[in-house]
Amino acid sequence: MTKRILVYRSINEDQLARLERDFHVDYLPEVASAEDPAFLDALANAHGLVGASLPITPALLDRAPHLEAIASISVGYDNYPVDELTRRGILLCNTPDVLTETTADTGFLLIMCAARRAIELAGMVQRGEWRESIGKELFGTDVHGKTLGMVGFGRIGAAIARRGALGFGMRVLYSNASPKPELEAELGARHRELDELLTEADIVCVTVPLNADTHHLIGAREFALMKPSAIFVNVARGKVVDETALIEALRAGKPHAAGLDVFEREPLPETSPLPHMPNVVALPHIGSATHETRTAMADRAVANILAALNGERPPSPVNELELKSS
Ligand code: DGY
């Protein structure tokens, strides 16, 4: 019997053809919700899943009795119940490395836009309101030479810090579960406990993965520790930050400004005040969203699912070791 793969995110023709060589593919790139009847029908017969953004719950797994492997088109895997997948013998794969530099570019874009008020001032020009040289009430703040505090110092955090240290002459501090001596040597980065980092940094940039330990890692207490002039940037996951506390902190002017690519609810609800706050730059979760990188991520996901369903070792397994020991 030919195994079936359900693809629920857009991939290109070449990627689709690679999957179709050995497998039957149910291609549903427009699925917006796990309630979609076509999605549920295909799920019932799927041996493999390729997609992103849809939370895959244990209840959904109950409807997928043949499922062997999932290849997420993302590096983050907070949309998947990893322990539950392992318990059911289902392999989960992700797409590390290929999106590191693009997501770091997004991080730096947010740092620059928030510090230099680029979106706010571009809006002024667009509305035809630029009638004279701007006064100091619209000046931004320098990025070069400042202290960059990285909350999380994995691949993406390190790539942002590299841009700061080597391109902008920034001093780099980091808080991370484990020390990173090689990055300390390369970038002159210094380890700090989170509270110390928050009090010392001019720019605080969050890149930790979302898990039980990092849920609401940054809240009212943490914002209170920051400098009044601090710029706060989040390219990790929205739920790492207590968004209600962030809104209150921004209204109170501390942090001074924020650059956000991720939110507690995505798409951001219409009622959210964040996009309307002049000191906030809000992007629609575009960390990895370039043609080159999204193609590379889908390529990796295709390679992952093909290997997994053919009984080979996939390039980027998440729970391989846990599966072996379970
Ligand atoms: C990821 O890959 O985890 C990015 O946030 C895109 O979803």
Side-chain angles (χ1 to χ4, degrees), residues 74-76 99 237 285 288 297:
S74 68
V75 67
L99 50 60
R237 285 292 184 263
H285 199 150
S288 61
M297 290 165 71

Side-chain angles (χ1 to χ4, degrees), residues 64-87:
H66 309 292
L67 198 58
E68 296 174 22
I70 302 177
S72 186
I73 310 178
S74 68
V75 67
Y77 45 85
D78 44 287
N79 269 332
Y80 306 89
V82 182
D83 291 345
E84 187 60 27
L85 290 173
T86 304
R87 201 180 64 72

